[in-house]
Amino acid sequence: MTTPPPPALFLSRVERRYVQGTSTLDILRGADLAVWPGEIVALVAPSGTGKSTLLHVAGLLERPDAGEVYVGAKPTVALDDAERTRLRRVDIGFVYQFHHLLPEFSALENVVMPQLIRGLDKHVARQRATDLLSFLGLAQRLDHRPAELSGGEQQRVAIARAVANGPRVLLADEPTGNLDPHTADHVFATLIALVRAARVGAIIATHNRELAQRMDRRVTIRDGIVVSLD
Ligand code: ADP
């Protein structure tokens, strides 16, 4: 009998609070969320409810005050900072509303870079970057710098960069929020295709109900826990 694969990401009873002066803000109060390989979860919640907090905890950028964060089968809370950083580089990709590409480097180099930081061979990294950018329809733009690309193209490069190291998990915060509706639609479609093809587990925070509807399921944060919207 084969054991089923673990979730790509599993938040278990996650708590996160911020202390400010004499008051405490309980933002996450025992949040649970499992994301399976190839699954795309829309995180739809009013601002101030804890979306960024949840993404930061899921992305190992912040440690929860209680609970556990599993990446694959691996518990991460007790790991030291160096090990969490290593895991973040390899297993987690981030896409933000603004692309944050390095302006002085080409599209190809921007996608090669995280692979070199991880220690991959230069030729392997270039081939993978070329394949990814081609998959995203950018084969003719490899040598363009970010300023020589349209907004939608820049965001597709940012998506390629996020998955360059073959992460288990992709975390995106309004990845198409800065694009016009038509371009957003196209970028979103390529993002979904890539996540499914690579069997990455994705959480995509968005205010766009129509895009959320195209994901596998929708969740929100209510009173500090993750609740299904379906
Ligand atoms: P969202 O992404 O849903 O807008 P956030 O996760 O950014 O919400 O923030 C949730 C709440 O926690 C907000 O009220 C915010 O002011 C507060 N908060 C976030 N980060 C901090 C921090 N580092 N220190 C104090 N309060 C914070």
Side-chain angles (χ1 to χ4, degrees), residues 44-52 174 206-207 220-221:
V44 186
S47 73
T49 48
K51 286 192 302 297
S52 308
E174 293 286 356
T206 183
H207 288 294
T220 191
I221 301 170

Side-chain angles (χ1 to χ4, degrees), residues 76-163:
T76 62
V77 169
L79 298 175
D80 65 24
D81 288 347
E83 182 61 13
R84 283 167 63 88
T85 299
R86 196 199 62 78
L87 204 60
R88 189 184 320 122
R89 279 193 188 134
V90 174
D91 273 339
I92 298 172
F94 296 92
V95 183
Y96 302 97
Q97 182 172 355
F98 299 98
H99 57 74
H100 298 303
L101 296 171
L102 299 170
E104 66 275 34
F105 292 96
S106 69
L108 186 81
E109 288 164 338
N110 267 280
V111 182
V112 163
M113 204 81 69
Q115 301 178 75
L116 297 186
I117 291 169
R118 183 193 168 179
L120 284 189
D121 171 79
K122 194 170 73 184
H123 299 288
V124 174
R126 284 182 74 86
Q127 187 58 53
R128 179 160 168 81
T130 304
D131 291 347
L132 273 173
L133 289 166
S134 302
F135 182 89
L136 293 172
L138 294 170
Q140 308 306 318
R141 299 286 185 278
L142 301 182
D143 297 325
H144 289 228
R145 291 183 184 191
E148 299 162 348
L149 296 169
S150 71
E153 289 168 344
Q154 290 169 350
Q155 203 57 342
R156 278 183 280 156
V157 177
I159 291 165
R161 178 187 54 183
V163 299

Side-chain angles (χ1 to χ4, degrees), residues 32-46:
D32 292 317
L33 177 63
V35 185
W36 297 91
E39 187 185 37
I40 303 164
V41 177
L43 176 57
V44 186

